[in-house]
Structure formats: C-alpha cells, structure tokens
Amino acid sequence: MSSPDPVAVFRIEAAECLEQIEAGLLDMTHRLDDKDLIDAVFRGLHTLKGSGAMFGFDALAAFTHHCETAFDRVRKGEVPATSELVAAVLAAQDHMRALVDDPDGDHGATGQRLLAQLQSAVGGRREVAPAAAVAAPAAVPQSTAARTWRVRFSLPENAMANGTNPLGLLDELRELGECSIIVNKATLPSLENLVPTELYLSWNVTLTTEQPRSAIDDVFIFVMDDMQLDVEEITDTAAPAKMAAVPAMPAVEKAPEAVPVFVPPVVAAATASVEPAPARRETAPAVADSRQAKATENVRVPAERLDELMDRVGELVIAQSRLSRLASASADISLRSVSEEIERLSGELRDTMMVLRMVPVATLFGRFRRLVHDLARETGKVIELVTEGESTEVDKTVIERLADPLVHLVRNSIDHGLEKPEERVEAGKVEAGTVTLSARQAGGEVIISIKDDGRGINRERVRAKAESSGLIQPGQALSDAELLQLIFAPGFSTAAQITNLSGRGVGMDVVKKTVEALRGAIDIESRPGEGSEVSLRIPLTLAIIDGLLVRVGTGSYVIPLSAVEECLELSLEEDLRSRGRSFISLRDSLVPFLRLREVFRTGTRPDVYQKVVVVSTGTERVGLVVDQIIGDHQTVIKSMSKLHQDVTHFSGATILGDGSVALILDVAHLVAAGQQQEAQLRAAG
C-alpha cells in the first residue's frame, strides 16, 4: 500500500485548523475580552504558520504571520480586540484557504487588500510588510532587570512520535538568557523494556533572563495543551549559583527547520552526568501499549472507500437473501444453520457499516455560524443563531446533499423573515432576531427545522405573485398548506427588488428538488408577526433500509418499515362496501386508503382476504391495500434509471433473493395522493 501524500495530509490538517480558528473567531464576536479564545486563535494561527512553512507553503506562512502578529499584540494587551479585527481575520482566513488549495495562484492583490484591512483593524500602529516572505517574529519587549526562573517540564510519551523535538525546546530556552539544565531519568526503564519512539525524560531548568514570563510560555506554545509545565520565579539570589555547579546539558546544534529531528531519549540522557535511576515498574510496557491504542482510536478514511465498502455490504445482503431462500426450501439442517449464521453476521455488518456512515449534524450546522455572521454585517440586522440537537446523526451522503438547500433556507429566513432592528422594536420585539436550526430523529427519519421569529409569510403577497405568474388561477381556492407550498415553485419570489440575497426566483425550487431526491418532504408553518418554520423530513440513510415486502397482483413491492404503523385485514365484502368512499374506520378516526392494485393497474382480481398497510409521514396517514404481506426484508436501495425519473410512486428498487426486482414505494407521494383523494371525496360529498 502506498504511503499517503504528505502535502495531502497537510491540507486535511490545515482545513481542520482553519475550522478551529473560524470557530474561535465567531465565539469572539460575543466575547471579545475572552482571553482563552484569544489564546486559542493565536495558537491556531501559530500552528498553521509553522506547518505551512514546514511543507513549503511559504505564501501561506508569510500571510498567516501577519494575522498571528495582530493577535499576539491583542494577547499582550497592546491593542484591544474589536469586531473589526475579528471581521478582518475572518476575511483573511478565506484567503488562507485559497493559499492552501492553490499555493501557486495569483493572490497578491487580494492579500495586500486584506493586510491593509488588518492594519486598519489594529489601529495602524505598525506597518504591515508585503507578504513575500515570512517576517521575523516581533521582538518581545524586555524588562529593565534580569529575573531568575525555575522551569520544570515533562512532555507526553508520544511527543517525539508526533514530531516534537525536546532538544529544540531546550535550545529556545537557552536563547532567552543564561540557563542550567538538569535531566531527570527517574522514569527511564531498562533497555529491554525501552520503546525507542517514547519519551521517558523530564527536565529542570534554571533560567536567568531579561525577557518576561510570556516569552517562556511562547517556547512551549505548540505542546502547551498536552505537557506538564511549572514555572516559578526564584527570589533567592544564591540559588542560581548553587544550581550552576551542576553540569549543564551541552548545546545541541539546531536541525534545519523543515526537517524534524528525532533524538532517542537514551542519547539525550547520555549527555547529562546524572547517575542512572532504577528502571520503571514492569507494568510500563502495558501502559505504553494502552496509550498507543488511544492515540490510534481515530483513523481518517476517504469517503469513497466507505461508499465502496457500503456497496460490498449491499451485495452481501443480497447474496445472504438468496442463501436464506435456498436454505428454507432445503431439508438440510446444516445448510439452514449456516444460513442463519450468515444472516446474523451480515445483519451485524450492515448495522456496523451504517454507524460508520453516520455523521452528527453538528458538522453541518457549524458551517452556518460564519454565514449568519457575514449576512448580519451585510444586511445591518442583529441576528442570533441557535442550534439544537447537534448530536443527531445522519448518513454522510444526506449531510453533503443538504448543505446547499439549508444555505438557501437560512438566507431566505434572514432576508424575508427577520426585520430590521428598528422595525422589531416598533413591533414590540427584541432588537436581535433569532434563527434556530434544530434536528431530531423520528423513527427512520430526521427532521431538520429552520425557524425564525420574524414577520412571517405574507399570504396576500404570495397569492398575488402566484396569480401574476400564472401558477394559479385568480380566486382559486387553496388550503393554507397549498398556498405556502407555492414559494417552492420555479422562479417564484416575493422580493420587491433584487439583492445579493434574493429576488431572482432561484433557490427554493432547488431546495424542494434536492429534498425530494433524498426521498424527503418539506413542511411549512408560518404565523403572521411571529415567524416561520420550514421542516425537512429526511430518511436516516440512503443505502440499506428495513422494508416490508408485499405483493400486489403478481408483483412484489417494498414499503419502508419505518413508515409502517400497523396492518389490518380487509375482506372482499368490506372492500366492496367501501367502494365510492375509500375510507376505513381506525379507532374513531377515518383513514383514507389507496387500492394499489388500481393505482398500478395490475389487471388482476383481488385476493379474498386483502391487507391494509397503514403508513404515515408523521402527521398524515393513509392505508395501502395489498394482496399479501410477505414479511420484513433487508432492502438494498438501487437508484431508478433516468428513464423513470417521472415515476413518482417509487423511490428506488431492490433485488430479491430469487433474483427478481421489487420496487420501493415512495411513502410521501402515496400519502399525498391519498390526502388528495380524501379532499376530492369530501368536496364531492
């Protein structure tokens, strides 16, 4: 197997680093004086600059250096943290992404404009140099008198395996002033128990320097989160003289910056004249093994490999179905036993594969913090984004396809829904408008809602626009739900003028098409003056589902099991008696039903004892009349061909154990058809 491309690995890690920086900056918009957030953003910029320089992304390192310098000045109290600085670094972060993706592109003009914006944000106290090369770090202000510090530190055992060179840290301490170093080998194991890639040493350093305490912390900034560090000032002037009598660790020549140097701890230990200490307790190798296991808990896997594995699992499920069919027709007990074992294992493998593909919606919701921040600055509105149910998990393919539809819905809520601050105050509302993104699981579906507390949807304006566009006839009777659904028609827009956000009549129809392609549905609720809520009902997964296999005429069909509520028997007499009304009484409520035999035009006579499968989309129910219920079936979803795109009753197909094809029913469309039939019957009655 070929080793991964280091540049590709850097790009992945740079993307994660940029996401962390962006999250910190967006948190700072509400807490500008939070020192922890300022330090976190500074560390992220510092890491990105150093990694970029190591992998040859010089333009990225040079540009990032200026943002790092700006936050360093904030960190040291030289300039205050402002919303202008946050906005400038957010804009600069987009430029950093471009430098990561295309380091050789022509980004000079953009970089200079952003650097000028950054200089203005920090008060213009320091001239910003062109981003041609990595500038030298700003000198740390020196105090007038030298002070003595005792620095005790130890690094995690996997520090060298992760690229940290402790000798480099000691050299940086040496550069701050006069120091003496003592290496502690108390935890050094015997040679046979020593793991070459692990670090067993710790150090005691006495440092006399004119630099401030922050300069010592900056030496360890890359490893600050994982190490143990104790720094205290020595007020006894005799202490340094006593410590100086201990032989110091000889200076080590620095390695080139682009190539990390790994020095085995045994070699480092040999440079100090301290007697060897007893070996570590014999349980050390076991502890080391557990730490190594923890370090490899998370593994990055390309998405296409997961898709390929999912396809293989799907084929295995189909093969297992064929095996079960053969075993059930055989009298061989051994074959049945093997078939049952294979069925159990394939089911467990399928469930495990599903878990691997599931991704929390937090990865999707996190993208909108930046969008809302930018739209607030662009529109002049005060907007708060609230997210709920971020731990809800959805298939990764669903997450990828929902990104663009949710962007359209959020932009629509902000532009059409939320009022200007002065309008909200006049209406008796708080100045800040709220957009809430929420997710929850309901059976085999995930419901993702976008809710705002704005002005709501103006029904009169929607109707007027629909009539002028020819979508409906003037004065045509529509239910409230049907009227609100008109906003998803192609080319529909109620915006008075075209802006950067809306007015061109594109976007909402794309949302509907995307959601329907995911076998989902859209619900809208709106209250004048109180706000609107758009709910997307999406299936949990698009690969393998549990289905109810039924027969209609001579054909087999699959109903998603998550949508099935219950099954009833419909005799021939009841079928004949219900002709003309198509309703069944179910616990004091009337439920419309569809005769699938007539919908699919099978041309066959009904069975003597038909079955009614009651399905639901959450709020609406309809019965589906079938000839026979065969049983549950693990359904591997195969997409319909382009020739069948207009067939609305089916969402896909699957292969049965005997090699025949069964169509998967689209429950949402069938429920809509049943409700439409109910409305027509009520109107006729």
Side-chain angles (χ1 to χ4, degrees), residues 482-515:
E482 291 172 336
L483 181 65
L484 293 178
Q485 286 288 334
L486 290 175
I487 68 175
F488 293 104
F492 188 91
S493 176
T494 59
Q497 60 183 1
I498 294 177
T499 66
N500 290 336
L501 296 185
S502 60
R504 292 181 170 81
V506 295
M508 298 302 284
D509 60 321
V510 176
V511 171
K512 185 174 183 180
K513 290 179 181 177
T514 303
V515 171

Side-chain angles (χ1 to χ4, degrees), residues 103-347:
D104 299 325
D106 185 10
H107 307 289
T110 304
Q112 290 298 324
R113 175 178 57 81
L114 292 171
L115 289 178
Q117 181 181 351
L118 182 65
Q119 178 183 357
S120 174
V122 294
R125 298 186 185 180
R126 186 175 300 175
E127 184 179 357
V128 180
V134 181
V140 182
Q142 296 186 359
S143 58
T144 56
R147 301 159 74 185
T148 301
W149 306 87
R150 179 179 290 114
V151 182
R152 301 184 180 92
F153 72 94
S154 62
L155 300 170
E157 293 189 350
N158 61 351
M160 293 196 301
N162 291 337
T164 301
N165 184 3
L167 299 182
L169 301 176
L170 295 173
D171 283 343
E172 290 187 43
L173 289 175
R174 246 182 234 286
E175 294 173 359
L176 296 179
E178 298 180 3
C179 71
S180 60
I181 303 170
I182 297 177
V183 62
N184 179 14
K185 301 189 296 181
T187 57
L188 187 65
S190 59
L191 187 59
E192 59 270 16
N193 293 328
L194 186 140
V195 180
T197 58
E198 291 193 2
L199 184 62
Y200 301 93
L201 307 177
S202 59
W203 290 268
N204 294 335
V205 180
T206 302
L207 173 65
T208 301
T209 178
E210 297 180 351
Q211 307 287 2
R213 160 67 189 272
S214 59
I216 301 176
D217 293 337
D218 288 346
V219 171
F220 303 99
I221 191 167
F222 277 118
V223 291
M224 184 74 74
D225 295 335
D226 300 323
M227 69 177 299
Q228 293 183 357
L229 176 64
D230 179 25
V231 181
E232 60 178 344
E233 185 176 2
I234 301 176
T235 56
D236 184 6
T237 56
K242 295 179 182 178
M243 298 292 294
V246 181
M249 181 182 293
V252 179
E253 184 179 352
K254 270 195 171 182
E257 187 174 343
V259 183
V261 177
F262 302 97
V263 181
V266 177
V267 177
T271 61
S273 58
V274 182
E275 290 297 324
R280 191 189 297 193
R281 61 184 182 274
E282 294 190 5
T283 57
V287 175
D289 291 342
S290 65
R291 269 191 289 265
Q292 287 179 346
K294 289 182 180 179
T296 57
E297 279 180 354
N298 297 322
V299 180
R300 289 193 181 96
V301 179
E304 57 270 17
R305 293 189 183 178
L306 282 181
D307 294 336
E308 183 179 350
L309 183 57
M310 188 72 251
D311 292 339
R312 299 293 183 269
V313 172
E315 296 299 327
L316 177 62
V317 169
I318 293 174
Q320 175 268 318
S321 179
R322 294 180 60 191
L323 177 61
S324 297
R325 186 181 183 88
L326 292 173
S328 61
S330 172
D332 191 339
I333 301 299
S334 300
L335 179 60
R336 291 188 179 185
S337 176
V338 171
S339 174
E340 292 174 358
E341 185 70 11
I342 294 297
E343 182 177 0
R344 180 184 65 82
L345 292 175
S346 65

Side-chain angles (χ1 to χ4, degrees), residues 347-419:
E348 292 177 355
L349 181 59
R350 181 203 64 170
D351 295 340
T352 302
M353 191 63 226
M354 289 302 180
V355 172
L356 289 178
R357 290 174 59 92
M358 302 301 266
V359 179
V361 295
T363 60
L364 181 62
F365 287 176
R367 308 178 189 181
F368 294 98
R369 298 182 63 200
R370 173 69 184 280
L371 175 67
V372 171
H373 173 271
D374 292 345
L375 291 180
R377 294 179 63 88
E378 182 177 343
T379 61
K381 299 177 180 179
V382 183
I383 309 171
E384 292 183 1
L385 177 65
V386 178
T387 57
E388 301 173 352
E390 294 175 293
S391 60
T392 305
E393 293 187 333
V394 190
D395 190 288
K396 71 173 189 63
T397 306
V398 175
I399 290 287
E400 293 167 359
R401 296 188 189 178
L402 280 182
D404 289 340
L406 285 180
V407 168
H408 287 299
L409 292 174
V410 170
R411 291 168 71 95
N412 220 49
S413 292
I414 292 174
D415 189 40
H416 291 287
L418 296 183
E419 310 95 333

